[in-house]
Amino acid sequence: EPEVTQTPSHQVTQMGQEVILRCVPISNHLYFYWYRQILGQKVEFLVSFYNNEISEKSEIFDDQFSVERPDGSNFTLKIRSTKLEDSAMYFCASPPPGKETQYFGPGTRLLVL
Amino acid sequence: AQKITQTQPGMFVQEKEAVTLDCTYDTSDPSYGLFWYKQPSSGEMIFLIYQGSYDQQNATEGRYSLNFQKARKSANLVISASQLGDSAMYFCAIIPSQGNLIFGKGTKLSVKP
């Protein structure tokens, strides 16, 4: 059964540095989502992406964040200048066409020092 | 605004017994989906079960069943015959009309041998 994959599994970066988190969604999925989970807290929606553009974003998704699908397969989340409070687990998710259930990737654990 | 409330921060259950994890929700959307996800200590988000707001019957998936009481706006998860591997965080979530998941704070389930 196809799975959503994410790389890297862990990333440590210095405050102010740029990071790019990558997701490979399941090939026939059309909608893609990024969520984050600060340690010990609930999962929060960041942004949704459809047809090569953002369809919705949360208040968390400010100008420091961007998403793109550069080559039609990878789906990336970029944080331009990381802050300490960006430390979290970042999940990519997508539903099969016509379905609501979102299947999550294994996540990238980001630590900003 | 949509909201998920999980009032049990932690629960204990004896192996082989059944356990109910509570979830109440608030939404003004007439159509919505309700989900439960499991998050083991390794961090991944595993989809367990889905209930559509117009579904007449309670959803079941193996040992998982969802006790959906629409008038009370509750969507409790019932796990039958608990196993040690069921020890994890459990998150209830709702998809209202706009498509992104809104999560509760989770319940940590510990299964005792």
Side-chain angles (χ1 to χ4, degrees):
Chain A
E1 186 175 318
E3 293 181 341
V4 179
T5 59
Q6 289 185 245
T7 56
S9 58
H10 295 77
Q11 178 141 9
V12 181
T13 190
Q14 294 291 324
M15 190 170 56
Q17 295 295 306
E18 174 184 284
V19 295
I20 298 176
L21 310 182
R22 291 182 171 81
C23 168
V24 180
I26 299 170
S27 60
N28 65 334
H29 290 195
L30 303 174
Y31 286 85
F32 311 110
Y33 299 80
W34 282 101
Y35 295 86
R36 80 169 186 191
Q37 183 183 30
I38 294 171
L39 186 64
Q41 298 187 22
K42 65 179 180 181
V43 178
E44 301 172 292
F45 167 71
L46 290 177
V47 65
S48 58
F49 194 81
Y50 171 72
N51 202 24
N52 289 325
E53 59 183 36
I54 290 173
S55 55
E56 189 174 0
K57 59 184 180 179
S58 73
E59 293 176 352
I60 303 168
F61 195 87
D62 60 22
D63 292 343
Q64 293 299 313
F65 291 90
S66 62
V67 289
E68 60 178 10
R69 202 172 184 211
D71 56 9
S73 58
N74 289 307
F75 176 46
T76 63
L77 174 69
K78 182 191 290 186
I79 310 174
R80 288 189 185 83
S81 178
T82 50
K83 299 180 281 229
L84 296 176
E85 55 264 36
D86 293 326
S87 296
M89 180 79 103
Y90 289 81
F91 292 104
C92 169
S94 65
K99 302 290 185 182
E100 286 192 302
T101 300
Q102 294 183 19
Y103 292 92
F104 282 68
T108 294
R109 200 178 294 273
L110 175 67
L111 178 61
V112 182
L113 301 176
Chain B
Q2 290 77 28
K3 187 178 178 182
I4 291 284
T5 302
Q6 294 181 255
T7 57
Q8 305 154 315
M11 289 280 287
F12 287 91
V13 65
Q14 201 68 39
E15 193 179 8
K16 299 181 184 177
E17 292 186 350
V19 63
T20 298
L21 307 183
D22 294 341
C23 171
T24 58
Y25 61 91
D26 191 17
T27 181
S28 55
D29 287 285
S31 177
Y32 49 90
L34 293 157
F35 301 81
W36 279 91
Y37 285 84
K38 173 184 178 181
Q39 187 177 42
S41 57
S42 52
E44 68 265 35
M45 293 290 287
I46 302 167
F47 164 72
L48 294 179
I49 195 165
Y50 162 81
Q51 178 85 42
S53 58
Y54 290 113
D55 292 343
Q56 295 296 317
Q57 291 190 320
N58 287 342
T60 60
E61 289 284 349
R63 294 187 298 111
Y64 305 109
S65 60
L66 199 151
N67 184 1
F68 180 46
Q69 297 187 46
K70 194 171 183 177
R72 294 186 177 184
K73 293 191 174 181
S74 76
N76 298 340
L77 176 70
V78 180
I79 305 174
S80 62
S82 298
Q83 301 171 357
L84 295 178
D86 294 334
S87 294
M89 284 291 291
Y90 288 82
F91 291 95
C92 181
I94 188 170
I95 282 188
S97 56
Q98 62 261 43
N100 56 278
L101 286 162
I102 296 167
F103 285 85
K105 292 184 177 181
T107 295
K108 184 174 182 179
L109 178 67
S110 299
V111 181
K112 298 188 288 185

